[in-house]
Amino acid sequence: MMKLQVHSKGLGDIFEAISDLARSSYEQEPSQQAYSVPAAKGMVNLRRIRLREGMELNWFDASFQEPVTLDVGVDYPHLEIAYTLSGQGCWEADGNAGSYGLSPGLSTFVYIEDKKMHTELMPKDDFLHMELRIDPRHFGETLLPELSRLSDNRFYCRQIAGAPQTSLIVEQMSKCPYSGALRNLYLEGKAFELLAFHLDSATEGTARHQGESKLKADDIRCLYLAKDILSRTWREPPGLLQLARMAGLNDYKLKLGFKELFGTTVFGYVRALRMNEARSLLEQGKVNVSEAAGMVGYHNLSHFSQLFRKTFGYNPSEIRKS
């Protein structure tokens, strides 16, 4: 098992610790660095892109055969948006009940200050993960008032499962068509778009859930299990009653709890996974619209096109044309 412990007072501290372990570290452009770190019978490849002072984009691509643990003490106001494309893991912050999952299609919006975080990555699948990391001290009054409304105990976390807006922006960032200064300009714009979406979702969530959540720790564990089952079976998912039994919940608690915890319904999550896969297939140019629809579980082409347009704001045929 690989273990890494870091105490950070700014965005760069964790990379100083990683660079000490890295087999190779090189700078592709002045604002971009890459690291390859041996880990648990595998390798962790990390790409760091500094967009501006106090804002950076990190990409993790890791393959390992034993668990990887990371303990980070965060001694400064730290804002982060994370999105997992593949792989599994979990994390928790000291002084806060429960843990949070890392799994495909799950977006995490977290603000943390003067806390310790413990993260575990599981050697189930290759781990592909994106993090937009922000130090709000460099943004003055732009961000601090927004963050003060979210939390009064220096910790806030909201997770959203299967949001097409997030997956689309992350994909656009990963396939940035520019280089040099234009690349940073493009990525910075996408970063602020991602931040605006999550701040808006957080504000809505705070207003909607002013009362304390009634979900217990065991309920949350079961709901994460239900989401994990759906992430593996979305082409032919179990029915609601069957899924509830598989996850150890009744169907009522599954429906309400899933919506509260992940910001979408069970059916909405499955549909988002299908739509994201269909868009990816079409962008690769190897299938037509009808074939893509069938491959993600839709046999009514008109219904598929309608849902695709509702999800992304354009017709699936427009991808082929472009």
Side-chain angles (χ1 to χ4, degrees):
M1 176 184 292
M2 175 186 176
K3 296 183 179 180
L4 181 64
Q5 294 183 333
V6 182
H7 217 65
S8 63
K9 297 182 181 295
L11 294 178
D13 290 352
I14 188 172
F15 298 100
E16 291 184 10
I18 289 176
S19 63
D20 291 338
L21 301 173
R23 219 175 253 176
S24 60
S25 171
Y26 60 92
E27 196 165 289
Q28 296 173 318
E29 296 180 21
S31 62
Q32 181 169 322
Q33 292 173 294
Y35 306 84
S36 294
V37 185
K41 298 181 181 178
M43 187 68 67
V44 176
N45 296 306
L46 169 62
R47 186 158 54 101
R48 180 192 185 195
I49 304 173
R50 287 165 289 175
L51 302 177
R52 57 179 290 175
E53 191 70 23
M55 175 185 280
E56 62 183 45
L57 187 64
N58 301 156
W59 294 95
F60 297 86
D61 186 356
S63 177
F64 40 84
Q65 299 178 27
E66 297 177 4
V68 172
T69 66
L70 178 64
D71 291 289
V72 179
V74 182
D75 296 339
Y76 67 100
H78 177 84
L79 183 64
E80 184 173 304
I81 299 170
Y83 185 84
T84 304
L85 291 92
S86 67
Q88 302 285 339
C90 62
W91 65 274
E92 58 186 13
D94 66 327
N96 295 86
S99 62
Y100 299 89
L102 298 171
S103 59
L106 187 63
S107 176
T108 301
F109 178 57
V110 60
Y111 172 74
I112 189 169
E113 181 178 0
D114 293 332
K115 297 248 181 207
K116 293 180 180 178
M117 299 176 65
H118 175 75
T119 301
E120 294 186 14
L121 305 180
M122 308 305 170
K124 184 178 180 180
D125 301 302
D126 289 349
F127 187 69
L128 184 57
H129 181 79
M130 182 280 300
E131 290 178 359
L132 173 63
R133 305 171 70 242
I134 298 171
D135 185 340
R137 294 174 297 183
H138 294 277
F139 293 82
E141 295 302 313
T142 305
L143 284 180
L144 292 178
E146 291 288 337
L147 299 178
S148 65
R149 285 195 285 268
L150 296 180
S151 175
D152 57 0
N153 64 352
R154 298 184 176 182
F155 178 83
Y156 172 87
C157 181
R158 177 171 170 78
Q159 293 189 306
I160 303 175
Q165 299 96 322
T166 301
S167 65
L168 177 59
I169 296 173
V170 171
E171 186 171 348
Q172 289 171 335
M173 295 170 95
S174 70
K175 297 178 179 178
C176 175
Y178 304 106
S179 60
L182 288 180
R183 183 209 55 185
N184 271 34
L185 185 63
Y186 176 87
L187 291 177
E188 186 177 329
K190 290 297 174 182
F192 278 115
E193 186 179 349
L194 196 62
L195 178 60
F197 169 74
H198 282 79
L199 280 172
D200 182 61
S201 298
T203 302
E204 289 181 0
T206 302
R208 189 166 57 243
H209 302 293
Q210 289 183 346
E212 185 177 352
S213 172
K214 296 181 180 180
L215 290 175
K216 298 178 182 178
D218 193 53
D219 295 333
I220 293 174
R221 179 187 61 79
C222 292
L223 289 166
Y224 272 112
L225 175 58
K227 188 187 71 64
D228 183 57
I229 292 170
L230 293 175
S231 70
R232 291 183 281 106
T233 64
W234 55 266
R235 285 182 173 85
E236 296 183 6
L240 201 61
L241 289 174
Q242 183 183 0
L243 178 63
R245 286 195 296 268
M246 294 169 70
L249 296 165
N250 61 54
D251 61 322
Y252 178 78
K253 186 165 287 187
L254 173 64
K255 288 188 290 186
L256 292 186
F258 201 96
K259 173 72 172 176
E260 178 180 345
L261 189 60
F262 301 122
T264 186
T265 64
V266 170
F267 297 110
Y269 179 56
V270 171
R271 185 176 68 186
L273 292 177
R274 287 175 166 176
M275 291 295 109
N276 289 332
E277 176 67 13
R279 188 190 66 220
S280 178
L281 290 169
L282 290 170
E283 287 179 342
Q284 293 172 26
K286 298 179 181 179
V287 298
N288 58 35
V289 175
S290 179
E291 291 169 332
M295 291 172 71
V296 299
Y298 291 95
H299 304 292
N300 185 319
L301 184 57
S302 177
H303 180 56
F304 167 76
S305 297
Q306 181 182 11
L307 289 177
F308 192 98
R309 183 168 58 251
K310 182 179 179 181
T311 302
F312 299 113
Y314 53 88
N315 294 319
S317 57
E318 294 180 41
I319 296 180
R320 296 283 295 178
K321 292 177 182 178
S322 62

